[in-house]
Amino acid sequence: MTEMRRRQAVSVEELLQEPYLDAEEQKEVVHRLKQQHARQSQQWTTVFGVLAVVLGIGCLYLSWHQLRDPWGLRHHAFFSGSVNSGVISLAEACSGTSLLLSAAALMTIDTTSNNHTPSQQHCKPVLIINALYAVLTAVLWSYLLRTAVRFQEESLLHAAHYMWLPFGPMLYMLLVFYLLHSLNGTACDVAKLQTSMYNLHTA
């Protein structure tokens, strides 16, 4: 432990003896951080956007399948006899639309902006609409689950297997919020570093 402390002390002293970066070197460091953040933002938004599109299309397919072959799927058959077939198809379509709205919000982010942070202004209205839409979808699925449990006298434990239906789109929307918050936090750190660079340059 003592040896480790000595190493840390030596490393700190060595860092203090390092010369300050000049203005051009500071600009180069900040420029590289900007490029790295923009690249990571584009990668993560693309990954989550594509995943949302795939899941959304999958939900729309389930909606179409329910119309073509009512109660043909296991999780659809759970609601048979308690609710109308078209309502289940509508609920699946709502889930798919919510996921596609999440993808649309991610795809409207401008990661090639010349500013220090990717532009998230265009995606905010879509996120707000999606939040309301995801809540309404969760309420619809929750109502359908409650109706099925009361009609079939099934236990709540059995119905818990289908809790992903109401909360799936909402959880994905919250995951998108967390992703954008993390990217924005990193961008703010780069902006603070850039501000400190200019303060040091003008001191």
Side-chain angles (χ1 to χ4, degrees):
M1 181 66 69
T2 304
E3 183 179 356
M4 184 179 298
R5 290 179 179 175
R6 288 177 180 176
R7 290 181 179 178
Q8 291 178 351
V10 171
S11 62
V12 171
E13 291 177 359
E14 290 177 353
L15 288 174
L16 291 176
Q17 293 175 359
E18 289 291 330
Y20 290 108
L21 297 177
D22 58 29
E24 292 300 325
E25 290 174 330
Q26 292 180 63
K27 290 180 181 179
E28 180 64 23
V29 171
V30 173
H31 179 67
R32 289 182 180 179
L33 290 175
K34 285 182 181 180
Q35 287 184 329
Q36 182 179 5
H37 175 66
R39 184 166 57 251
Q40 291 179 350
S41 297
Q42 185 175 13
Q43 290 174 351
W44 283 112
T45 53
T46 300
V47 169
F48 280 89
V50 170
L51 181 59
V53 169
V54 172
L55 294 175
I57 292 176
C59 289
L60 294 179
Y61 170 77
L62 294 177
S63 175
W64 173 80
H65 189 281
Q66 174 66 8
L67 291 176
R68 187 179 63 89
D69 183 20
W71 320 120
L73 299 177
R74 181 179 179 182
H75 72 282
H76 288 168
F78 176 76
F79 300 93
S80 62
S82 58
V83 295
N84 187 273
S85 173
V87 178
I88 298 299
S89 179
L90 174 64
E92 290 284 14
C94 289
S95 298
T97 305
S98 177
L99 290 166
L100 292 178
L101 284 173
S102 295
L106 291 171
M107 292 179 180
T108 55
I109 297 176
D110 184 13
T111 58
T112 61
S113 176
N114 293 326
N115 298 325
H116 63 271
T117 176
S119 177
Q120 299 180 8
Q121 297 297 324
H122 298 291
C123 74
K124 288 182 178 180
V126 183
L127 287 175
I128 294 174
I129 295 174
N130 187 25
L132 297 175
Y133 203 87
V135 170
L136 293 177
T137 301
V139 171
L140 176 60
W141 274 117
S142 299
Y143 171 77
L144 295 177
L145 281 172
R146 182 181 178 184
T147 302
V149 170
R150 293 179 61 182
F151 182 82
Q152 301 180 10
E153 297 182 354
E154 294 282 355
S155 64
L156 292 177
L157 182 61
H158 182 68
H161 294 111
Y162 305 99
M163 293 304 293
W164 57 272
L165 289 170
F167 297 112
M170 183 180 296
L171 290 176
Y172 199 92
M173 178 204 64
L174 293 176
L175 187 61
V176 170
F177 272 113
Y178 175 76
L179 172 65
L180 297 180
H181 177 73
S182 299
L183 294 177
N184 187 63
T186 305
C188 290
D189 291 338
V190 176
K192 290 178 182 178
L193 180 61
Q194 186 176 17
T195 303
S196 300
M197 178 193 70
Y198 286 121
N199 287 337
L200 177 61
H201 177 65
T202 57

